[in-house]
Amino acid sequence: MSDGIKSVLTPAESQEETQQIHGVSRRQFVHAAGAAGLAASVGPFILPRSARAAGKTLKILQWAHFVPAYDKWFDNEYTRRWGEKNDTQVIVDHVGIPAINSRAAAEVSAQKGHDLFMFLWPAPTYETQVIDHSEIYQECERKHGKAIDLAVKSTYNPKTRKYFGFSDSFVPDPVNYRIDLWGEAGMEKGPASWDDVLKVGRKIKDKRNIPVGIGLSAELDTAMAMRTSLYAFGGSVQDQQGRVTLDSKRTLEAVKFVQALRKETMTPEVLAWDASSNNRALLAGKLSLCLNAISTTRAAENEKLPIADQLGLTKALRGPVRAIGLEHVMDCYVIWNFAENKEGAKKFLVDYIDDFLDGFKASQYYNFPCFPKTVPDLPKMLAADPHMPRGKYSVRGDVLNWATNVGYPGYANAAVDEIFNTWVINTMFAKAASGAMSPEAAIKEADTKCKAIFAKWQAKKLV
Amino acid sequence: MSASIARQRAAAGRNRPWCDDEALLGRMLLAPAVIYITALVGFPFFLAIFYSLSDATVGSTTLHFVGLRNYEGILQDPTFWRSLQNAIVFTLISQALVVVLGKILAMALYGDFRGKWLVRLLILLPWVAPMSLGSIGWLWIFDPVYSIINWSARALHIFGPEIWPVWLGQPDLAMASVILVDVWRLLPLATVIILAGLSAIPQDIHDAAQVDGAGFWRHLFMINIPLVMPIMLVALLFGIVFTFTDMIVIFVLTRGGPFDTTQVIASYSFFTGVQGGDLAAGAAISLFLFPVLAAVAVVFLTLARRAEVA
């Protein structure tokens, strides 16, 4: 009998009998593993989502602010309050600066992501992926008066007549300098011109071995600082009509000046910097001057560093043609075409501008308003800042007289954006300043790249 | 009688549960790997070819065919040629170091000594740690202000008061630094692979060589290296593929700088395609990795096979 049964068993079944002696059979194992896999993959779709809140959701992505107190206020106070008032669950995600572009690309590729996405610079490359933000500007202008020119030039495309973003605020980029060192060299109020930086910076470096620190690397602060010097010397990447004008005598003067500045006042470390290197070096007492927002002075004050009282601020440096500075950071919110809560995102931005005074205070005067009437007492508030030396923040009171946008004297367009993000201008200055290329050759190379980039975006009819 | 048994077996086969069907189960177990490779390697590869022939940008969802225009643009771009050259130099130097050091380490670890497990653990750590975290650690080690290398060298009077190398700010030092980090990362893998090869050599071969009076060098070049060669070539192949396609070390340490002197194909593709927004050009740049890697893989696998047969 037993033999008869065995004769119809397959070899696998015979083996299974043996295996069962030791515990779980292969059949049981495969069934169990299959069931577990199925449960893991299907479970999340059929199980009830208890965490889901009632009402709407608004998802915001923005950078991890250089002033951490701002994020604390924005995440834990402001958005919570706004959410309760508007029956909306507000989710705020933060990313570091280097991840902003890759995150945006991923969201567009997936056609899914946040309702509000904040860039730290104009993002016209994404123009076809975002709604026209003119409605938000109109509503805010109705309530608070005209937006500053800097905001418009950073978020409007005159070619397509579309607002491809909405700018709530910007951050001025003053000169940060050591009062003790510059005072010792006879310039206690800091440099007023690029020429002062070269002459006095050299004197300080020779005497105290403390260099000037203006980045020449592939990073945000360098991008701003190099454009500042370019514009001050009369050069520019494009003209008002959006034609490439980089290869000019003015650019050559600027590049030659930066070459001298690097050689006589700086060390090669500026070629390796990231966006926070100048902050660290200034706070460590290793720099006599850098171009930066007030995150450095605020960090020194908040951490009660002895150097805090020795850090002074001054306005944009005068070049042979003009005294001009760039914004350090330009907050540009966009609402994607695929955002799930467009109306909520629009309302949030309008309400945020209504409450901008709170944001200005929470950022410790870092974020400046794009609608100036929202902070009517701005100069007074800056003058009343209690930190030493008293009144140092006042130099930023007339920032709109000396700050301009990326793409000056034209608008920030898609070609300017790509040139900015691929560090073409940074590399041009760095190659010449390090002696790897002659200034003329470095400019020619960058000009060729700029023209190719402009031609590409012109073909797409966005420039 | 036999026909009846055959019928019974056929009926049993038809009624057999799917998990007992060897052929079906084999295919099912292989399926995740095939799906994984198709979805994460095959699909992106063909997508990259498609993008490289289009005018895709990060902000566009509609594409237009532009033929080979992106490739023409890249071939005229001096930064591309610099990146290709850097990628080759970076890979060759780092892999030469990895193979030599890996062999030395494997031989050191092959013998018996106290605390061997601890040494093995320490050597494996760089491979186990996430690459981005390891690179950030190195970023601090090379920091222009706080570099622990400079600080230690100055404290030990190796560097004088005027010497303070800026590791990531000078082209040659920057390239040396990224090579060093790559070697640090890949050395454990090569060591473990070579160690496995060494352990597989039968003891009688070593004994016979000893009886014949072979010294250390003869033993190394006539026995150890030839017998470990196939597996060493596999380690080298892995190393070349990992290094040639890697951008984490470059991205964290130098971002291609100073002024593109450490830019490699993978990082330049990322900066152009994702950071710069020109997805089509980025895809075209990345595709230059493919023929190089395919050729390297074919050559090395052929060599490994021949060495094995020999």
Side-chain angles (χ1 to χ4, degrees), chain B residues 217-271:
Chain B
W217 295 110
R218 179 159 289 214
H219 199 109
L220 178 68
F221 287 107
M222 305 299 285
I223 293 173
N224 274 351
I225 291 181
L227 289 177
V228 171
M229 189 58 82
I231 205 157
M232 257 169 75
L233 288 175
V234 172
L236 191 58
L237 176 64
F238 274 125
I240 288 175
V241 172
F242 284 146
T243 307
F244 203 67
T245 56
D246 180 66
M247 61 160 274
I248 298 175
V249 177
I250 301 281
F251 184 78
V252 174
L253 291 186
T254 64
R255 295 172 312 285
F259 46 87
D260 290 333
T261 51
T262 58
Q263 199 74 268
V264 293
I265 294 283
S267 59
Y268 191 46
S269 162
F270 175 77
F271 287 125

Side-chain angles (χ1 to χ4, degrees), chain A residues 380-460:
Chain A
K380 256 192 214 167
M381 290 169 78
L382 293 176
D385 188 276
H387 296 96
M388 295 297 286
R390 290 299 288 267
K392 73 173 162 189
Y393 292 107
S394 292
V395 298
R396 306 186 318 147
D398 63 347
V399 61
L400 288 177
N401 297 336
W402 48 266
T404 191
N405 60 294
V406 175
Y408 169 88
Y411 287 77
N413 56 45
V416 164
D417 185 34
E418 187 176 336
I419 291 165
F420 185 90
N421 282 317
T422 49
W423 317 120
V424 176
I425 302 302
N426 307 28
T427 306
M428 173 184 81
F429 275 101
K431 279 184 173 172
S434 63
M437 258 189 183
S438 69
E440 291 83 357
I443 294 169
K444 274 264 176 299
E445 187 184 272
D447 185 70
T448 308
K449 281 195 176 187
C450 290
K451 281 180 176 150
I453 291 170
F454 264 82
K456 189 173 60 192
W457 288 103
Q458 277 159 351
K460 285 180 172 288

Side-chain angles (χ1 to χ4, degrees), chain A residues 8 26-27 30 101-102 108 111 126 128-129 217-218 269 271-273 280 284 418 421-422 434 436 449 456 460, chain B residues 8 17-20 22 55 57-59 61 77-79 143-144 146 166 168-169 255 259-260 274-276 278:
Chain A
V8 291
R26 185 172 76 187
R27 184 185 298 172
V30 172
N101 273 332
S102 38
V108 169
Q111 292 287 297
Y126 290 97
T128 56
Q129 292 296 319
S217 175
E269 71 180 85
L271 294 160
W273 273 2
R280 289 199 302 274
E418 187 176 336
N421 282 317
T422 49
S434 63
K449 281 195 176 187
K456 189 173 60 192
K460 285 180 172 288
Chain B
Q8 275 180 324
W18 58 269
C19 52
D20 289 332
E22 298 274 344
D55 62 350
T57 68
V58 285
T61 42
D77 178 3
T79 313
D143 187 87
Y146 299 104
V166 181
L168 303 176
R255 295 172 312 285
F259 46 87
D260 290 333
V274 178
Q275 298 285 93
D278 190 347

Side-chain angles (χ1 to χ4, degrees), chain A residues 203-222:
Chain A
K203 210 161 133 186
I204 295 169
K205 185 174 177 248
D206 290 346
K207 193 174 173 196
R208 304 290 296 267
N209 199 26
I210 299 180
V212 165
I214 296 172
L216 280 167
S217 175
E219 51 92 22
L220 185 64
D221 288 12
T222 300

Side-chain angles (χ1 to χ4, degrees), chain A residues 135-146 350 371:
Chain A
E135 197 186 325
I136 307 167
Y137 271 108
Q138 282 160 11
E139 182 61 13
C140 291
E141 287 188 344
R142 191 182 64 76
K143 290 174 156 181
H144 304 289
K146 273 195 86 61
V350 173
F371 294 87

Side-chain angles (χ1 to χ4, degrees), chain A residues 256-404:
Chain A
K256 281 183 174 170
F257 176 82
V258 171
Q259 191 181 35
L261 198 65
R262 150 73 194 91
K263 205 171 156 192
E264 296 172 35
T265 71
M266 300 200 261
T267 65
E269 71 180 85
V270 294
L271 294 160
W273 273 2
D274 59 38
S276 60
S277 297
N278 51 5
N279 301 43
R280 289 199 302 274
L282 190 67
L283 293 178
K286 302 280 187 187
L287 293 182
S288 68
L289 173 146
C290 69
L291 267 61
N292 209 339
I294 60 164
S295 50
T296 319
T297 51
R298 286 303 189 204
E301 290 156 7
N302 294 341
E303 289 167 34
K304 298 189 171 45
L305 301 178
I307 204 170
D309 297 351
Q310 295 302 334
L311 297 180
L313 300 172
T314 185
K315 297 176 189 186
L317 299 164
R318 198 177 56 247
V321 174
R322 56 178 80 92
I324 195 167
L326 229 74
E327 31 76 18
H328 185 77
V329 158
M330 195 78 213
D331 283 17
C332 293
Y333 280 105
V334 300
I335 301 172
W336 303 120
N337 286 331
F338 51 81
E340 285 169 15
N341 188 1
K342 289 192 194 98
E343 289 312 310
K346 286 182 199 171
K347 184 165 189 333
F348 180 87
L349 288 177
V350 173
D351 291 348
Y352 179 63
I353 296 301
D354 290 346
D355 301 325
F356 189 81
L357 182 59
D358 293 341
F360 175 69
K361 288 178 187 166
S363 74
Q364 300 176 348
Y365 310 167
Y366 186 88
N367 291 8
F368 267 48
C370 284
F371 294 87
K373 286 186 180 165
T374 55
V375 188
D377 295 329
L378 189 139
K380 256 192 214 167
M381 290 169 78
L382 293 176
D385 188 276
H387 296 96
M388 295 297 286
R390 290 299 288 267
K392 73 173 162 189
Y393 292 107
S394 292
V395 298
R396 306 186 318 147
D398 63 347
V399 61
L400 288 177
N401 297 336
W402 48 266
T404 191

Side-chain angles (χ1 to χ4, degrees), chain B residues 82-141:
Chain B
R82 177 82 203 217
S83 305
L84 185 62
Q85 183 193 324
N86 285 343
I88 293 169
V89 170
F90 177 43
T91 307
L92 287 181
I93 298 179
S94 88
Q95 287 317 297
L97 289 170
V98 163
V99 168
V100 173
L101 296 175
K103 176 76 181 147
I104 293 170
L105 260 180
M107 286 179 67
L109 292 174
Y110 185 59
D112 269 332
F113 57 90
R114 262 182 88 164
K116 189 161 110 173
W117 68 270
L118 182 67
V119 177
R120 281 188 176 183
L121 176 76
L122 290 176
I123 286 170
L124 267 178
L125 275 183
W127 181 251
V128 178
M131 194 49 218
S132 46
L133 285 184
S135 299
I136 290 170
W138 281 100
L139 183 66
W140 281 98
I141 290 171

